[in-house]
Structure formats: structure tokens, C-alpha cells
Amino acid sequence: MSTNVLRTAEGWWVVLGDRAVPVDTKAVTTAELVADRDAVQEAALSGDAGTPVADLVALSPVTTPCRVVAQMVNYRSHARDSGFTGDIPPAFFRKASGSVSGPRDAVVRPEHVKFLDYEIELGLIMGAPLPVGTVVEERDLPSYVAGLVITNDVSARDLQLTKTQFYESKSYPTFTPTGPHLALLEAEDFAHLLDLRLKLSVNGDLRQDRTLADMIVRPAQALTLLARFQALDAGDLLLTGTPGGTALKAPPKPVEKIGALLPPAVKWRAFFKSQAKNPHYLHPGDVITATIATPDGRIDLGEQRTPVAGPRQEPK
């Protein structure tokens, strides 16, 4: 069974139901924590009455700086929403680790961003170095992946599309809410990954709801493809793609064909004029709720609940 760990300003805690037991460890970073599994296990078995989880202020269980890498268009439902047909070549992009925020922190929309979108994603936390050239088989996953977290790949769509700029559009502070739990896995837990269900709601309205069975490139293959050019270390974070249901969707094919004939500035002006009528983009005052769990609760990453705020006042 997986073990859920929480991070607060006071340190690390093992979550046991509605209570949490402190971990007696010198670990400060996520990499140090996943290397001290004995201390985590001792806390889980200590018999300590613990502290109510409700009394703790959870921070992101992923400490920074670290590498944050994400997969693009990795669920069949998202591919359909995005207008893709046929085979989709695997693709990755980087996010600034400064975008990582806590599971209750507000997502802050910068003043110049008009179309803010959500993307629930399963995050893999590395437990060991992944050198360039590594080939990862399914049976090898426990050797490289220590645990799982909920992440939200918040995206400024107007920047992403008009500038074809993934790094900027997904890297503003608070654009990667993470946690609350770091689920440290045992080897036998990996057989249950495809049962994990990702669910995201905005103001109680369910927007995304799929299991990992909808994935195009699964974790072992993703790590192999990434390792062709990118090394990872313990504590690094890989976001594994989002299911369908985001606010952004591809226009109908006839509209897309007409748009292709227009000058870029005209095309994007027309596209975002139509997007302005889409009520699913995020606005200040919205509340995003995200969960990832197996139906039997064997793996349960907790509930991430983040309000949307902004726009942040930027220096002139």
C-alpha cells in the first residue's frame, strides 16, 4: 500500500486517515525525503496519536528548485478536443520550478492574461537518477519513480497560442499547484496505476474525468523517450498530460480551414473573440478542485483546492 506524506513549514508528516504523524527526519528537500523511507515507515508504524490533518497548512510536497517537465497531448480525449487525428508524436516541454505552489494556494492570473485554463495531471516524483540513454521497462518503474502527486498545469492560452510559447505560458508563479499528498509507492502499487482516476471541477462543475487508461504514452515509455535527451534526478517532477475537458478546444474543421487562410494577426484576433464567449476559462473568484485516486482507495493523492485570484499588479 502507498504511504501518503504531507509537507508543512514544520516538516514532513505521514497521513493516517484524518490525522498526521511527524516524520523524524533531517530531510529538507523532496529528494532527501524519498531517500529516507525508513523514517517514513517508522512514523507510519509509531502508534503516535498524531495531529488532526485539518490543523496543518500543507505546502507543495515538491520542493524547489527542481526540474519540472511535462508531456504534451498525452490523453486520447485531450487529443480529440485539440483537433488531432492519427498518430501523435510524443512531445515534452519544461516549466519553471518557480511555478510550483501549494495545494491550497491561490492561482494568480497575471494582468495581461485573459484566457486562463486548467489541466489536471498526474505528477511522477523521481526517486533515483535517470541518466540520458536509460531504457525504462514497466517492471523498472519502482527503481526510478518514488511517488505520485496531483498537479495542475495552469496555462495562459493567449500566450501559448499566439506566441507558440509553452515555457512562458505555463511558468508564471502559482501555475503548477502541487499536492497535497506525496504518495510514496511500494513496488506492487505500480500495477494499479491505470486505475487512477483524474477529476477536476470548477465551482463544483465537473470538467475533467478520466483514468490513466486514456493515456497515449504511459509512464515507463515516457521516461524512456525523455531520457533520450534529458536526465532527471531524485526529487524532479514529470507531469504526464491532461485528459479532455479543458476550456480550450479546437475550432470546427471548416472554421480551422478558413482561419488558415487568414494573416496570423487576423486569425488570432478572430479566434480569441470567439473564445471570449467561452465560460469555462478561469476567472478570479473561481475555485478549482482536483482529485486523483483509485476506486478502492489503495492510492489516494488527496484533494487539491485552489482559488483563482488576480490579476496581480505588475511593476511598471
Side-chain angles (χ1 to χ4, degrees), residues 62-128:
V62 178
T63 56
T64 57
C66 66
R67 294 185 186 91
V68 181
V69 185
Q71 291 177 257
M72 184 173 70
V73 192
N74 194 37
Y75 281 71
R76 294 175 184 85
S77 54
H78 190 213
R80 289 193 297 271
D81 282 357
S82 302
F84 287 94
T85 57
D87 293 335
I88 302 169
F92 300 89
F93 58 90
R94 289 285 295 270
K95 298 188 66 160
S97 66
S99 67
V100 173
S101 55
R104 298 290 185 270
D105 294 342
V107 172
V108 180
R109 177 171 65 84
E111 187 173 11
H112 59 283
V113 172
K114 306 303 179 188
F115 297 94
L116 194 66
D117 208 348
Y118 49 84
E119 294 188 10
I120 186 174
E121 307 205 9
L122 177 69
L124 307 184
I125 302 298
M126 302 303 295

Side-chain angles (χ1 to χ4, degrees), residues 48-305:
D48 190 320
T51 298
V53 172
D55 292 348
L56 301 176
V57 179
L59 305 176
S60 166
V62 178
T63 56
T64 57
C66 66
R67 294 185 186 91
V68 181
V69 185
Q71 291 177 257
M72 184 173 70
V73 192
N74 194 37
Y75 281 71
R76 294 175 184 85
S77 54
H78 190 213
R80 289 193 297 271
D81 282 357
S82 302
F84 287 94
T85 57
D87 293 335
I88 302 169
F92 300 89
F93 58 90
R94 289 285 295 270
K95 298 188 66 160
S97 66
S99 67
V100 173
S101 55
R104 298 290 185 270
D105 294 342
V107 172
V108 180
R109 177 171 65 84
E111 187 173 11
H112 59 283
V113 172
K114 306 303 179 188
F115 297 94
L116 194 66
D117 208 348
Y118 49 84
E119 294 188 10
I120 186 174
E121 307 205 9
L122 177 69
L124 307 184
I125 302 298
M126 302 303 295
L130 181 81
V132 170
T134 302
V135 175
V136 182
E137 304 289 348
E138 291 287 341
R139 64 179 179 273
D140 302 325
L141 274 175
S143 299
Y144 295 101
V145 176
L148 310 174
V149 291
I150 299 171
T151 62
N152 185 356
D153 180 23
V154 177
S155 305
R157 297 301 193 190
D158 31 354
L159 301 183
Q160 178 187 340
L161 297 177
T162 59
K163 300 171 71 172
T164 61
Q165 176 55 273
F166 278 74
Y167 187 71
E168 178 183 352
S169 67
K170 293 168 174 280
S171 286
Y172 285 90
T174 74
F175 272 29
T176 314
T178 305
H181 297 161
L182 164 56
L184 297 175
L185 303 183
E186 301 296 336
E188 58 270 20
D189 294 323
F190 286 84
H192 301 268
L193 292 186
L194 295 188
D195 296 329
L196 286 166
R197 180 170 290 276
L198 288 69
K199 299 176 75 171
L200 181 143
S201 300
V202 179
N203 302 328
D205 176 31
L206 183 63
R207 303 282 180 84
Q208 295 182 279
D209 183 8
R210 286 290 191 284
T211 69
L212 261 65
D214 190 34
M215 265 189 176
I216 298 169
V217 176
R218 294 175 182 175
Q221 184 186 2
L223 290 174
T224 298
L225 294 171
L226 183 59
R228 292 181 301 181
F229 60 92
Q230 171 73 75
L232 295 177
D233 289 313
D236 287 344
L237 172 62
L238 173 62
L239 282 63
T240 55
T242 196
T246 61
L248 177 67
K249 292 179 175 59
K253 287 298 180 184
V255 174
E256 186 177 354
K257 289 179 180 179
I258 293 171
L261 303 175
L262 300 174
V266 176
K267 177 183 73 174
W268 289 123
R269 189 160 57 246
F271 176 75
F272 284 113
K273 183 178 180 180
S274 68
Q275 289 297 294
K277 302 173 186 176
N278 182 346
H280 283 183
Y281 286 104
L282 297 170
H283 302 281
D286 288 343
V287 177
I288 310 162
T289 304
T291 60
I292 300 178
T294 57
D296 61 2
R298 181 189 185 100
I299 305 173
D300 187 340
L301 308 185
E303 181 183 81
Q304 183 180 110
R305 189 174 177 83

